[in-house]
Each structure stands twice: as C-alpha cells, then as structure tokens.
Amino acid sequence: MSTITDIGTLISHHPDIHGSGAIIAGTSVTVRRIAIWYKQGLTAEEMPLASGI
C-alpha cells in the first residue's frame, strides 16, 4: 500500500535562506538546485550526497 504525501508539506520558504526562495522543508537546499541535479542526471538517492545532507 502506498502513502500519499502532499507535496506542499515538502516545500517551504524562509526569509533568511536564499532570499526566501523555495526550499526543501527542513533544509537549505533550494528547489532550483534539485532541478539542476535532476537535469544533470542525478538520481533521488544521489541528491542527498551532493547536498551534504
């Protein structure tokens, strides 16, 4: 059985981080950075390694 996650709970904004741009909740990793890594061919499993999380 799969679990449904509301994507809105995974993305947040914080005025002190990256000019209040969209970030992954609980991190300082921007949504833009995730998109760049995706375009570079990184898998979801490799992205935390690239970000240092």
Side-chain angles (χ1 to χ4, degrees):
M1 181 176 198
S2 63
T3 303
I4 297 173
T5 302
D6 177 12
I7 196 164
T9 63
L10 303 176
I11 299 173
S12 66
H13 299 268
H14 192 283
D16 297 331
I17 301 174
H18 300 291
S20 194
I23 59 172
I24 305 303
T27 75
S28 63
V29 178
T30 63
V31 172
R32 180 179 180 172
R33 175 60 50 195
I34 298 294
I36 290 168
W37 287 332
Y38 177 79
K39 287 180 179 181
Q40 291 175 342
L42 270 70
T43 65
E45 292 77 18
E46 294 169 321
M47 288 182 194
L49 299 174
S51 69
I53 295 176

